[in-house]
């Protein structure tokens, strides 16, 4: 095999690119390159009663129809103000989609604001005059705007025409600009958006730059300035500790695997949440090789680990009164003379043996080791996050993730996701499918019935969740984010193409609930 180039840390340069502040400034006085207004179907303009008269006429329902503006979701239309009485040179009309009441929901505001800022890359500033008369609405606009103001430019040449920087400054126009509660929510929005962008940066990074060793460095870079503690097990420590799942998956690559533990530990935590993330930095399928087109997006197979890392760092930055430990199971799944073979038997951490029938069902092997390790600390709950199965995409599509596990924790995840604005759907773990994982020579096989493959994978992971002090299995939930973690389609709302950061907001909301 050829020599590897010296490790190069992936670029995590988003933090601080876009600044946001709240202001009570009237929209016609806002000094910005663009003024963003919301339009609901009808069409009708929302929250812009103090527009100058010339523009008010132009943007009346009749005027909007004449301009071809409908107010549908993801519609963004720019209109020059000319002599319209605004300081901003352009008005940006962003659609909310169909309303269920008089005003948009929090998630509709996030998406409308994000769709606008996503299209404003290259501008210096924008004023946001979407409905923001209460704290929840104002916070939603801020979150969406910051989430939309993202661009991955690390691999772009400086002269590339499409390598525009996100809009630099955002001004949120709201009568609550001096409200202390809103100030705290805006700080949270900035931390949240930074965390989502960290996930996006890692997922978007090419696999020749992001592999287990450089992922560790990226974790250290992300944790700078916080009290997050990072512990790394390299290949020697993994072998000494008996982490056969991670080692088995990683043994075909020149780039050895790692298990990384990241921890936010406040002095008097109210609870302990353990997060486990799948970190396959590139998935070729191993000897059970994927078809070429199936590998194109497989740099995203570490999205679970990236999400867990960013969630722990965000919890620390927000000083949440909850102990949050994250376990990043990092490996590169490659075919070679040293790769694991179909029919190999691995001994995972804790002693359970697994017959490997398909080397492309590798995520569950690294997750098995990490789940057992996380459970040894007896947390109050374990939540694992993984781009685990293609069956998830078949069942739920590219924007809705699955959540499985214990009823109470599954419900808590769904409630957190609902507030955060992320789409999850509860899925069962049918006991009759468990028998398909039986192996004649090991404790369990790594694949079972193809029908219900997403559920079978969840049943496999459940086998490795340790018992608590009372002798019953620790509370556990499994999040399969295979489709929503990477957007291969056109941009929508605050989401561009590539890594999405999906599930980060849900995990952070869940941690806040536990606190």
């Amino acid at each position: 095999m050829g020599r590897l180039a010296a490790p190069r840390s992936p670029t995590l340069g988003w933090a601080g690119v876009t600044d946001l502040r709240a202001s009570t400034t009237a929209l016609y006085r806002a000094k910005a390159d663009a003024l963003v207004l919301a339009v609901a179907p009808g069409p009708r303009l929302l929250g812009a009663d103090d527009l100058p008269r010339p523009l008010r006429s132009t943007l009346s329902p009749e005027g909007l129809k004449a301009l071809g503006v409908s107010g549908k979701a993801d519609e963004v239309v720019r209109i020059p103000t000319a002599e319209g009485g605004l300081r901003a040179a352009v008005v940006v009309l962003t659609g909310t989609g169909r309303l269920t009441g008089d005003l948009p929901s929090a998630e509709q505001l996030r998406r409308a604001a994000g769709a606008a800022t996503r299209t404003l890359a290259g501008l210096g500033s924008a004023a946001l005059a979407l409905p923001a008369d209460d704290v929840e609405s104002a916070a939603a606009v801020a979150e969406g705007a910051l989430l939309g103001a993202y661009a991955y430019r690390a691999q772009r040449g400086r002269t590339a025409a499409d390598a525009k920087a996100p809009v630099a400054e955002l001004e949120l126009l709201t009568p609550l600009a001096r409200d202390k509660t809103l100030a705290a929510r805006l700080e949270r929005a900035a931390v949240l958006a930074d965390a989502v962008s960290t996930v996006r940066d890692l997922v978007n990074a090419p696999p020749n730059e992001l592999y287990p060793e450089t992922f560790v460095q990226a974790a250290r870079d992300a944790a700078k300035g916080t009290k997050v503690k990072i512990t790394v097990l390299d290949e020697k420590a993994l072998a000494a500790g008996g982490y056969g799942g991670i080692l088995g998956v990683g043994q075909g690559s020149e780039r050895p695997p790692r298990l990384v533990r990241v921890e936010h530990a406040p002095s008097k935590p109210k609870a302990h949440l353990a997060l486990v993330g799948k970190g396959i930095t590139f998935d070729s399928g191993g000897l059970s090789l994927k078809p070429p087109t199936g590998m194109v997006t497989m740099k995203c197979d570490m999205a679970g680990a990236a999400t867990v890392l960013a969630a722990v760092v965000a919890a620390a930055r927000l000083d949440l009164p909850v102990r949050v430990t994250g376990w990043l199971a990092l490996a590169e799944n490659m075919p070679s003379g040293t790769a694991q073979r179909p029919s190999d038997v691995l001994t995972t951490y804790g002693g359970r043996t697994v017959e490997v029938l398909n080397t492309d069902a590798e995520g569950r092997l690294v997750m098995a080791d990490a789940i057992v390790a996380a459970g040894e600390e007896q947390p109050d709950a374990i939540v694992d996050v993984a781009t685990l199965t293609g069956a998830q995409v078949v069942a739920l599509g590219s924007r809705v993730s699955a959540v499985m596990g214990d009823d109470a924790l599954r419900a808590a995840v769904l409630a957190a996701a609902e507030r955060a604005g992320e789409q999850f759907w509860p899925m069962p773990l049918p006991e009759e499918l468990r028998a398909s994982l039986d192996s004649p020579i090991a404790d369990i096989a790594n694949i079972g019935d193809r029908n219900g493959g997403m559920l079978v994978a969840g049943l496999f992971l459940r086998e490795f969740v340790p018992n608590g002090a009372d002798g019953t299995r620790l509370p556990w939930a499994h999040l399969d984010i295979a489709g929503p973690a990477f957007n291969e389609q056109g941009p929508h709302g605050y989401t561009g193409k590539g890594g999405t950061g999906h599930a980060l907001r849900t995990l952070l909301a869940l941690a806040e609930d536990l606190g």
Side-chain angles (χ1 to χ4, degrees):
M1 295 184 181
R3 294 181 60 190
L4 296 176
R8 173 182 167 185
S9 180
T11 301
L12 298 178
W14 182 89
V17 169
T18 299
D19 291 326
L20 182 144
R21 66 183 181 90
S23 169
T24 57
T25 302
L27 61 83
Y28 59 86
R29 291 181 177 175
K31 295 180 181 180
D33 296 324
L35 175 68
V36 181
L37 302 172
V39 179
R44 63 186 177 94
L45 205 60
L46 301 177
D49 295 336
D50 54 349
L51 271 177
R53 181 172 296 177
L55 270 178
R56 200 181 310 157
S57 175
T58 300
L59 301 180
S60 66
E62 295 75 17
L64 291 171
K65 287 180 181 178
L67 291 168
V69 177
S70 69
K72 66 182 180 180
D74 292 332
E75 178 184 71
V76 179
V77 178
R78 296 193 191 193
I79 298 174
T81 58
E83 301 300 322
L86 293 180
R87 293 187 177 186
V90 65
V91 168
V92 179
L93 304 174
T94 183
T96 64
R98 183 170 59 88
L99 306 184
T100 57
D102 292 333
L103 293 174
S105 68
E107 181 60 9
Q108 285 179 311
L109 287 172
R110 288 188 196 97
R111 294 184 183 184
T117 57
R118 180 171 48 76
T119 65
L120 294 178
L123 288 187
S125 61
L128 306 167
L130 287 76
D133 292 340
D134 61 80
V135 171
E136 290 300 321
S137 296
V141 172
E143 286 180 17
L146 289 172
L147 289 170
Y150 170 84
Y152 182 73
R153 301 187 300 144
Q155 312 304 320
R156 296 286 192 185
R158 292 186 178 181
T159 60
D162 58 351
K164 296 178 181 178
V167 58
E169 296 180 2
L170 296 173
E171 183 179 13
L172 174 63
L173 305 182
T174 172
L176 302 175
R178 297 182 179 86
D179 187 289
K180 292 182 179 180
T181 302
L182 178 60
R185 292 294 298 275
L186 295 186
E187 173 62 25
R188 179 188 183 276
V191 170
L192 181 148
D194 193 10
V196 169
S197 294
T198 293
V199 179
R200 289 169 167 174
D201 281 349
L202 288 168
V203 172
N204 289 330
N208 62 316
E209 292 192 6
L210 185 71
Y211 45 91
E213 184 180 1
T214 57
F215 199 124
V216 171
Q217 184 56 51
R220 292 188 171 120
D221 292 344
K224 283 180 180 178
T226 73
K227 295 181 180 179
V228 169
K229 181 180 179 181
I230 298 178
T231 306
V232 181
L233 298 183
D234 62 14
E235 66 272 30
K236 293 180 180 178
L238 290 170
Y243 293 86
I246 296 174
L247 287 168
V249 173
Q251 71 187 42
S253 173
E254 282 189 300
R255 298 177 167 110
R258 299 284 188 269
L259 178 61
V260 182
R261 180 183 180 276
V262 291
E263 180 183 27
H264 161 59
S267 58
K268 295 181 180 180
K270 296 182 178 179
H272 178 192
L273 173 64
L275 304 175
V276 178
K278 175 186 173 183
I280 303 299
T281 58
F282 185 76
D283 183 18
S284 69
L287 291 181
S288 303
L289 197 66
K290 294 178 182 289
T293 55
M295 293 188 216
V296 172
T297 61
M298 283 300 102
K299 66 178 184 178
C300 81
D301 215 14
M302 35 56 65
T307 302
V308 167
L309 166 65
V312 175
V313 172
R317 290 181 63 184
L318 293 173
D319 197 23
L320 297 187
V322 178
R323 181 185 176 197
V324 186
T325 51
W327 299 80
L328 320 180
L330 308 177
E332 187 178 53
N333 188 26
M334 298 292 285
S336 73
T338 61
Q340 65 176 347
R341 297 156 290 256
S343 296
D344 278 0
V345 174
L346 306 177
T347 301
T348 58
Y349 185 64
R352 188 182 292 263
T353 58
V354 180
E355 183 182 14
V356 179
L357 299 180
N358 187 325
T359 65
D360 195 24
E362 85 298 328
R364 63 199 70 184
L365 299 176
V366 302
M367 297 286 280
D369 279 352
I371 287 172
V372 174
E376 285 184 336
E377 298 183 356
Q378 295 290 289
D380 296 298
I382 299 175
V383 178
D384 74 70
V385 190
T387 49
L388 204 61
T389 66
Q392 181 276 321
V393 188
V394 173
L396 296 175
S398 60
R399 297 195 191 181
V400 181
S401 290
V403 56
M404 291 156 261
D406 303 333
D407 290 347
L409 187 55
R410 186 179 66 176
V413 170
L414 290 169
E418 177 69 21
R419 289 195 314 281
E422 294 185 317
Q423 297 185 85
F424 280 84
W425 194 256
M427 300 299 288
L429 291 172
E431 293 298 334
E432 64 270 17
L433 292 177
R434 170 59 185 86
S436 70
L437 289 166
D438 288 345
S439 165
I441 62 170
D443 294 327
I444 193 171
N446 78 323
I447 60 170
D449 196 335
R450 183 178 180 182
N451 296 322
M454 171 176 57
L455 313 181
V456 172
L459 287 165
F460 178 92
L461 293 180
R462 190 182 68 177
E463 292 287 316
F464 295 86
V465 180
N467 290 336
D470 62 358
T472 63
R473 189 176 60 242
L474 290 169
W476 162 78
H478 162 54
L479 280 54
D480 193 335
I481 61 171
F486 195 84
N487 179 26
E488 298 183 60
Q489 308 301 320
H492 56 88
Y494 43 72
T495 303
K497 295 194 70 172
T500 65
H502 179 83
L504 183 283
R505 291 183 286 154
T506 295
L507 293 184
L508 192 59
L510 179 64
E512 290 170 329
D513 289 346
L514 291 176

